[in-house]
Amino acid sequence: MENKTVIFDMDGVIFDTENLFLDCWKLLAGQHNIQNMEQVYHKCIGVNEKTTKAIFEEAYGTQFSYDELSAEASLMFHKYVEENGMPMKPGVREVLDYLTQNGYKIGLASSTKEVHVRSQLAGRNLLSYFQVIICGDMVSRSKPAPDIFLKACEEIGAQPEKAFAVEDSYNGIRAAASAGMKAIMVPDIVSPDEEMERLAYRICPSLAEVQAFFASLD
């Protein structure tokens, strides 16, 4: 297949971090009597920290102590990771091994800051799989804008319309589709709706299904 390129999202696709962060925020919401936390958090999946703060302030007002609470949630998250390790999604290493062994170019496009992305990937010995890593602090616009995927395709040397993106979030699928890529959705916290079914090239319930899809193309 011409131009065999796959660009992965990280949170919710490679690592089971979205559920862990949601649990942290829900605990804080209970402690501080913050209403509708889960619904607001869902809007933040796939976007960078600046956009996340804007979403929280739109929901709770500009007096909302986002920076303080975000720091608390981050401490809770990292304490869990230190004690238990970064939780990986099932099938991660298998699909990365398959793509590597079958001549695919593999990239990563995450809204998370680069320092955290590289640290988390290194902690699970996954860094070597990725030829290109583009992070949220390396582009001016966050997902759902296509910038991060366009930059990943440019640096890996692929035409977007001939490359695949593997995403879990609505904003990630929107970004990949806007970039002209073939977006594969692997749902995590949010289930696909009509918009996702329209935008996604394919919806796979797991990374094992993603691997099977690529195997069917080879």
Side-chain angles (χ1 to χ4, degrees):
M1 186 174 62
E2 184 183 357
N3 210 346
K4 297 163 70 168
T5 301
V6 187
I7 309 295
F8 286 84
D9 178 40
M10 187 180 77
D11 295 303
V13 173
I14 291 174
F15 295 127
D16 194 12
T17 47
E18 299 291 10
N19 282 294
L20 180 54
F21 260 121
L22 176 57
D23 288 343
C24 295
W25 274 106
K26 285 167 69 175
L27 184 58
L28 287 175
Q31 294 173 353
H32 296 276
N33 194 29
I34 303 169
Q35 303 299 312
N36 302 318
M37 176 58 71
E38 189 164 354
Q39 292 90 326
V40 174
Y41 181 86
H42 284 180
K43 298 178 182 178
C44 302
I45 297 173
V47 303
N48 63 17
E49 190 171 358
K50 179 180 178 182
T51 305
T52 297
K53 182 176 181 178
I55 291 170
F56 269 87
E57 290 184 346
E58 181 180 1
Y60 299 115
T62 55
Q63 300 305 309
F64 181 76
S65 303
Y66 173 80
D67 291 335
E68 178 182 335
L69 291 172
S70 179
E72 283 190 58
S74 182
L75 283 174
M76 294 165 65
F77 174 88
H78 289 293
K79 181 180 179 182
Y80 176 93
V81 171
E82 286 174 9
E83 294 175 353
N84 302 280
M86 182 65 70
M88 280 174 55
K89 301 289 282 188
V92 169
R93 205 173 296 278
E94 291 83 354
V95 69
L96 292 175
D97 279 337
Y98 175 84
L99 294 174
T100 299
Q101 293 162 8
N102 285 273
Y104 283 81
K105 298 177 182 178
I106 307 173
L108 186 124
S110 171
S111 296
T112 301
K113 291 181 178 179
E114 183 181 14
V115 62
H116 300 308
V117 169
R118 291 189 175 275
S119 173
Q120 291 170 15
L121 291 173
R124 284 294 192 175
N125 296 315
L126 297 175
L127 260 178
S128 61
Y129 286 105
F130 301 100
Q131 295 170 258
V132 165
I133 295 175
I134 306 298
C135 304
D137 51 350
M138 298 167 68
V139 293
S140 58
R141 295 190 301 170
S142 177
K143 302 172 186 178
D147 302 33
I148 196 166
F149 282 116
L150 292 173
K151 185 174 180 64
C153 287
E154 179 183 3
E155 294 206 3
I156 208 168
Q159 296 176 323
E161 62 272 16
K162 294 181 179 178
F164 292 89
V166 182
E167 271 282 1
D168 67 297
S169 71
Y170 287 8
N171 286 320
I173 293 296
R174 290 169 183 145
S178 181
M181 301 174 71
K182 299 178 179 70
I184 299 174
M185 185 177 190
V186 185
D188 183 34
I189 290 179
V190 292
S191 299
D193 60 7
E194 289 184 5
E195 180 193 8
M196 294 300 104
E197 290 175 357
R198 184 177 72 253
L199 292 179
Y201 183 81
R202 194 176 187 90
I203 297 174
C204 294
S206 67
L207 289 176
E209 291 290 331
V210 173
Q211 182 178 337
F213 166 70
F214 284 113
S216 73
L217 301 180
D218 292 332

